Amino acid sequence: MSGLPDDASLYQQAPCGLLVTDAAGLILRVNATLCRWLGYSQAALVNKIRIQDRLPVGARIFHQTHCLPILQVQGSVGQLQMEIRDAGGQRVPVLVSIGRRTVDGRIFDEWSLQAMNERRSYERELLAARKTAEQALDARLDAEAQLRSLNAELSDADRRKDEFLATLSHELRNPLAPMRSALEILKLDPARPVTEKGLLDVFDRQLRHMAHLVDDLMEVSRITQNRLELRREPVVLADIVHAAVDDVAYMMRAASHTLNLHIEAQGVVVDADPTRLGQVLVNLLTNACKYTPNGGVISLTLRLDGEQALIAVRDNGIGIPEHALGTIFAMFSQLEPALQRSKGGLGIGLALVRGIVALHGGSVEAWSAGEGLGSTFTVRLPLAPVQGMPDAATGVEDAVAPTSVLVVDDNVDAAEMLAMFLSMSGCTPQTVHTATAALNLLETFRPQVALLDIGLPDLTGYELARRIRLLPGGQDMLLIAATGWGQASDRQLAFEAGFDHHLTKPIDFDRLRALLAEPKRP
């Protein structure tokens, strides 16, 4: 091929020394590479010098006693380390391979010589490259090990954070329970002056706000641990919208906002957990209220969008910077530092919104034209396969029949407030603060209902329930768990222990009234 060196050039410029001798060792041909190494011209070597004459004594003896016999028997010998003298008498280390051929009865030995100094340089470079590669591999393995360790630490920190949030929300429920009980008791007095009723309304609103924050903490911790379970049922979405609007009405009035409600899909039904969806809408409306200056305009629209229900919450508030739109739903995301916020919350509301909507198979997105230009949050939910709801049965207000009730709670305030509420509702309560005290009291007191806290100091409420069921008359007792732990697994543990119902603190007294109005165990 054009441009490639010819055979003669390849021979002469080969990267190793090449020569051909006769059987006596007379050099018949030598390439330019070997001549350059030895400092001879080709004319000074060819047909004038025997190769063994350029070998030191030891190498010459080795060639005579070992190489030649092997060549005669095998026809080749290879990878021999020896030395050859150059024109100045200096020894040049070489690696020699010899092949013997017979042509027309004549014997020719073909020598290939590789300079050991070049080989050693190559080997040094190879070893250096290998060492560099090994160091790089070690560094990579160390980095991967550090990354795995860091990931494990981050995962552990994230797990502990989630556990802390769950524990914190549980512990916050304990002081909320007696506060809620006390408020319900005060509200039972119909002769209370109007001024005091106004104070109770303030107390009620702030207590609901606190309970709302605790609920958000609990739900976010469940979502991040993949432990949130939905209690789905066909629900009319407009009913949830109206309930959410009622929940934030006092907040809207306090900020002098105008809330415009547009229900364009009145009877649309979704398969959803109504409590969780209520949290979503209350969070969105609360955010709109907080981040809109007093006297603002907020609107909530419910309409159909193809096979989905669409809920849009718009405001003319502070807006969202473009750079924040991508992280607005992240946990603890805040538009402003804590010290600069006058109405900011914990930064978990929108993370909760996204998590709950995603569990319903829907989506949520935020949009804003920029700072000071308001914002819009749009929730999309899949429609239920069957639209339309059966007519709700009309009922009467729950009436609590006179009932004997045992209250067991190590929180003295919570127990006393609950007992006071029960007494004012027509029940006969008895309170104790340990499981042991409860078992001792049950030897003489046979209540129809027992309200048991789970986190008791001596026995768990689960164990207490199991022991009550074994007592005479224990199978007939209505057992209600009242606890700050409200996950599905907690309810399941309660039912397995023998509880009939499970209430989460702070107790919903309307729900408690309904339970006390139910027929007792036969």
Side-chain angles (χ1 to χ4, degrees), residues 491-509:
R491 291 192 296 271
Q492 185 61 35
L493 287 173
F495 297 144
E496 290 175 356
F499 282 100
D500 298 295
H501 301 284
H502 183 281
L503 297 179
T504 303
K505 294 180 180 178
I507 292 175
D508 182 341
F509 283 93

Side-chain angles (χ1 to χ4, degrees), residues 255 257 286-287 289-294 336 340-345:
H257 291 323
T286 300
N287 270 7
C289 182
K290 288 194 300 186
Y291 293 107
T292 299
N294 287 355
E336 298 175 320
Q340 298 178 18
R341 295 193 311 270
S342 61
K343 299 181 180 180

Side-chain angles (χ1 to χ4, degrees), residues 388-394:
M389 296 285 290
D391 294 333
T394 58

Side-chain angles (χ1 to χ4, degrees), residues 195-207:
T195 54
E196 291 187 11
K197 288 183 178 179
L199 293 176
L200 292 181
D201 289 341
V202 173
F203 187 19
D204 186 41
R205 288 194 297 269
Q206 296 306 315
L207 187 58

Side-chain angles (χ1 to χ4, degrees), residues 152-226:
E153 291 177 5
L154 289 174
S155 297
D156 185 58
D158 192 55
R159 176 186 57 78
R160 284 187 277 111
K161 179 261 296 178
D162 291 337
E163 291 176 352
F164 169 76
L165 289 177
T167 303
L168 175 64
S169 58
H170 166 261
E171 292 302 321
L172 288 175
R173 288 182 185 275
N174 286 329
L176 286 178
M179 293 168 65
R180 170 56 63 186
S181 299
L183 177 61
E184 292 296 330
I185 292 169
L186 293 175
K187 290 167 65 176
L188 287 175
D189 184 3
R192 189 166 298 279
V194 175
T195 54
E196 291 187 11
K197 288 183 178 179
L199 293 176
L200 292 181
D201 289 341
V202 173
F203 187 19
D204 186 41
R205 288 194 297 269
Q206 296 306 315
L207 187 58
R208 288 180 185 276
H209 181 60
M210 185 64 181
H212 175 70
L213 292 177
V214 172
D215 287 341
D216 282 358
L217 277 174
M218 179 69 80
E219 303 305 351
V220 166
S221 67
R222 290 173 183 169
I223 289 174
T224 55
Q225 297 178 71
N226 294 319

